[in-house]
Amino acid sequence: RPLLTRLSASHAAAAPRLPTDRGRGQRTIQAVFTAGQTAVTVVLLTASLLIAVSLHALLTEDIGFANRDAVTMHLHPRGPQFTRESQDAFYEQLLDRLRQSPAVTSAGAILQRPLEGPIGWEAAYRQNSEDAVPEEKLPAANFQVVTPGYFQTVGTTLLEGRDFDDRDDRDGPQSVVVSRSLADRLRKSGQEPLGSRIELEYGRQRGWTVVGIVANARYRGIQRDNDDLYVNYLQVQIPVRYPVVRGSGTAAQLAELVRSEAARLDPTVAVGEVATIGQLVERDTALQRFNMALLLVFAFGATLLAGAGVYSVVAENLSEQRREIAIRMALGADRGRLIGKLVAAASAFVILGALAGVCCVLLLGRYVADLLYAVTAADPVVLGSVVAFVLFVSVFAAFIPAWSITGREPRTVLQAD
């Protein structure tokens, strides 16, 4: 111990002076820069995690189409012989042929298939309690023309009542199937949906009877939930355009089956735009997936930079304090406690940067609200997870140089100085 005291005294006398204000200023700039990196990392990680949570919610939530393997395609009637009646007869025969095939489980058709874009058919409807409501103020719903068997094919659950059948032909009473949200609107007006009558501008008469209620389905975007009205294709002067088939074969095999059966009925009909319901969902969520991937790349780079910044600042600061640390270790300081103090001191500016990042997320949250679904920018689980991860990376980056410098032999360090 006396030898160590003399050695320390001699080194203290010969040691360079304490860091100047310029050195402290450089360290302050480094600390502020690393805090800024930490804030940016928190923002990018939070944004990517929020979009990932939104995308997971979109892909796992029931959007009204449970059968993602159902195959859809567009039929293009190109012959001049196609009239309204001939198109109905064509689809009736085509669907009958498809249903008789052993490779087909169910088949149907629709005017406009799901997730083709925000544009669709709108139908203003009038309830009995809205007789005095002006035409321009009537509620409107997404209007779809379907065939019997369509709901079963795409996996839209029938909640109450019945599907379209042979009773809903050209001469039968005009029937309509509504979505659950529209049925709830009817209930709020004081009438039971099933059996109630609503007025539509389509059809040979304005009065339509509700015969069924199905689950809500999102036709104009996976994030858009509209009221839906369905009518039988035989009761309106609007043809269906998209056959929907579900069976045991692949999408290509089922599309080829539809193509061959359609060609037997009319060689001029072309089949195109083949896609499964699952592919339509993926196409609609492409922007969210791209944004998530892009943000993850930037967030990964920012995390590496933040970790490297913490490591470099801590390593440089500890390098300047190596003689003091060596003396403490020689005097019997506990290595674990010393490492804890060094890491805690180094993590102070990281914590400030993380808090600044959280504040930025909360301030910018309203600008990214349109990109989020089923989650908000202020979600405590997401913010807490990101902050915990960033702190873990920063503490680990600070621990490495602290562990290295406290593990050196004190005599070697002092003699090197």
Side-chain angles (χ1 to χ4, degrees), residues 22-23 30 40 44 84 98 144 156 207 213 228 237 244 255 285 287 289 292 298 305 315 320 326 360 380 382 396:
R22 182 180 179 183
Q30 289 174 334
V40 173
L44 291 175
R84 178 68 188 87
L98 292 174
Q144 287 287 4
T156 301
I213 301 173
D228 300 310
Q237 297 296 316
V244 185
T285 57
L287 178 61
R289 288 186 282 111
M292 182 185 68
F298 284 116
L305 289 176
E320 295 178 357
C360 291
V382 172
F396 183 74

Side-chain angles (χ1 to χ4, degrees), residues 3 57 70 83 101 139 176 191 231 249-250 254 259 264 266 307 366 373 380 387:
L3 177 62
T83 62
S101 172
V176 61
Q191 59 183 118
V231 299
T250 63
L254 292 174
R259 185 178 288 107
R264 288 189 179 96
D266 192 308
R366 58 181 178 178
Y373 180 78
V387 171

Side-chain angles (χ1 to χ4, degrees), residues 80-220:
Q81 74 279 10
F82 265 95
T83 62
R84 178 68 188 87
E85 291 73 17
S86 64
Q87 287 192 50
D88 288 345
F90 171 81
Y91 273 100
E92 189 172 6
Q93 296 176 47
L94 175 63
L95 294 178
D96 286 341
R97 286 172 176 264
L98 292 174
R99 289 164 185 157
Q100 292 172 10
S101 172
V104 175
T105 304
S106 60
I110 188 171
L111 167 64
Q112 189 171 17
R113 67 179 174 181
L115 305 175
E116 278 290 90
I119 299 175
W121 289 65
E122 287 284 342
Y125 62 93
R126 185 188 298 273
Q127 305 168 222
N128 294 336
S129 60
E130 295 175 331
D131 293 338
V133 177
E135 194 79 23
E136 62 274 9
K137 294 185 178 181
L138 288 175
N142 179 55
F143 181 76
Q144 287 287 4
V145 182
V146 300
T147 67
Y150 168 77
F151 299 123
Q152 178 187 359
T153 305
V154 297
T156 301
T157 306
L158 181 65
L159 303 176
E160 299 181 46
R162 64 174 177 86
D163 192 357
F164 295 117
D165 54 27
D166 295 338
R167 289 170 285 183
D168 309 306
D169 57 13
R170 295 180 181 86
D171 302 322
Q174 294 185 143
S175 304
V176 61
V177 174
V178 301
S179 64
R180 181 181 59 190
S181 58
L182 198 152
D184 292 339
R185 291 181 183 272
L186 296 177
R187 287 192 178 97
K188 289 180 181 178
S189 66
Q191 59 183 118
E192 186 60 30
L194 284 180
S196 64
R197 291 179 64 81
I198 59 178
E199 292 185 3
L200 295 174
E201 60 179 317
Y202 304 100
R204 62 182 185 276
Q205 299 175 355
R206 294 183 67 86
W208 294 75
T209 303
V210 178
V211 298
I213 301 173
V214 295
N216 293 340
R218 301 182 182 181
Y219 284 90
R220 303 188 187 180

Side-chain angles (χ1 to χ4, degrees), residues 35-48:
Q37 286 181 322
T38 304
V40 173
T41 302
V42 169
V43 172
L44 291 175
L45 280 176
T46 303
S48 58

